[in-house]
Amino acid sequence: MNPELPHKKLERQFYTGELLTVAKELLGKILVKNDGKIILSGKIVEVEAYDGSFDEAAHSFKGKTKRNEIMFGIGGFLYVYFTYGAHFCSNVVTGKEGDGTAVLIRAIEPVIGINRMIRNRFGRDLIKEKEKYNLTSGPGKICQALSITKDHYGIDLTGNKIFLLDQPILNDGQIVFSKRIGIKKSVDLPWRLYIKDNPYISRK
DNA sequence: CCACGGATTGGCT
DNA sequence: GCCAATCCGTGGA
């Protein structure tokens, strides 16, 4: 582990809290992927909350299926899904057994392994300066940059493959609440949260 | 078995 | 700003 990072890994209790509380507190945390050889990490700067109990846009809204069953377990596991025939997206499952709540990680700011992320995303080592902000500015881009696939479905975030490192909780004044992106149902819920003025978010 | 559409992205107008 | 690509999960016949 890089000695510059704080070492406190988030534990189960963090994830089992109320959906929007966890979504807010996820902002600023450090996402780490360690496959045993390569460590890649980034600060979470944008998320979206989903609650299957009444939110029609949530994958868990219509009940448990093989695809979404991890969403119905206790918080602190990774829900990875495949969409549009091309992209994986990562969610942090939250709450208690049976809740069906999760937070989609929409954008991160690269911290460790940037050159590896560049290669994963663009297949080459050097990028133009402006491409720096195109590395991890979307849920599909994050999974490509960090090599997260369906193989990582259901990973326990309190383990050592993919986990989060604690960081100070942000003030409400540092967080922007806006409408979620790319959905057709429950479009008015202001459940997309991002860090104000951060250049790595997917869009304003 | 088959048809449909999606929590996106990137390229083109 | 608009739209095609692409394929798997889901639901209905």
Side-chain angles (χ1 to χ4, degrees):
Chain A
M1 183 53 57
N2 187 308
E4 293 178 22
L5 287 177
H7 283 213
K8 188 170 178 245
K9 188 185 297 183
L10 294 178
E11 298 176 349
R12 185 75 57 206
Q13 185 181 346
F14 173 86
Y15 299 103
T16 56
E18 190 274 327
L19 173 64
L20 288 184
T21 303
V22 178
K24 274 171 64 171
E25 296 186 356
L26 279 171
L27 292 173
K29 299 292 190 281
I30 309 293
L31 173 67
V32 182
K33 174 166 181 274
N34 182 357
D35 69 3
K37 295 178 183 169
I38 299 165
I39 293 176
L40 300 172
S41 80
K43 181 171 83 170
I44 297 173
V45 300
E46 176 182 340
V47 299
E48 280 177 1
Y50 288 89
D51 181 347
S53 68
F54 70 99
D55 168 13
E56 291 186 83
H59 287 173
S60 51
F61 179 69
K62 290 180 179 172
K64 193 189 287 188
T65 67
K66 190 176 180 185
R67 181 203 200 199
N68 66 19
E69 62 184 350
I70 197 73
M71 271 186 86
F72 289 91
I74 193 171
F77 288 80
L78 196 67
Y79 167 45
V80 180
Y81 68 89
F82 183 72
T83 193
Y84 293 104
H87 310 289
F88 293 102
C89 298
S90 294
N91 297 250
V92 173
V93 177
T94 70
K96 307 180 297 297
E97 185 83 30
D99 282 353
T101 53
V103 177
L104 172 68
I105 303 176
R106 282 199 57 92
I108 65 174
E109 175 179 333
V111 173
I112 293 175
I114 296 179
N115 289 333
R116 183 74 192 196
M117 295 184 205
I118 292 168
R119 221 179 318 157
N120 288 344
R121 285 270 294 131
F122 303 112
R124 54 197 159 82
D125 288 333
L126 297 173
I127 58 169
K128 303 173 185 117
E129 180 64 15
K130 68 176 182 181
E131 289 179 319
K132 187 168 68 169
Y133 300 108
N134 188 30
L135 260 186
T136 51
S137 56
K141 296 176 187 178
I142 292 171
C143 287
Q144 190 181 13
L146 300 190
S147 295
I148 295 174
T149 69
K150 62 184 176 184
D151 292 342
H152 304 282
Y153 179 96
I155 277 185
D156 186 345
L157 297 172
T158 66
N160 56 21
K161 293 189 176 71
I162 298 177
F163 52 89
L164 296 176
L165 295 176
D166 200 8
Q167 292 288 129
I169 293 173
L170 302 180
N171 304 319
D172 276 6
Q174 299 171 270
I175 299 173
V176 178
F177 290 74
S178 63
K179 292 177 183 178
R180 295 178 295 184
I181 292 173
I183 56 174
K184 291 179 175 165
K185 301 163 184 169
S186 305
V187 293
D188 289 329
L189 289 173
W191 282 6
R192 171 177 174 249
L193 281 58
Y194 61 90
I195 299 178
K196 190 178 180 183
D197 298 326
N198 188 286
Y200 291 88
I201 62 173
S202 66
R203 59 194 227 199
K204 290 278 185 188

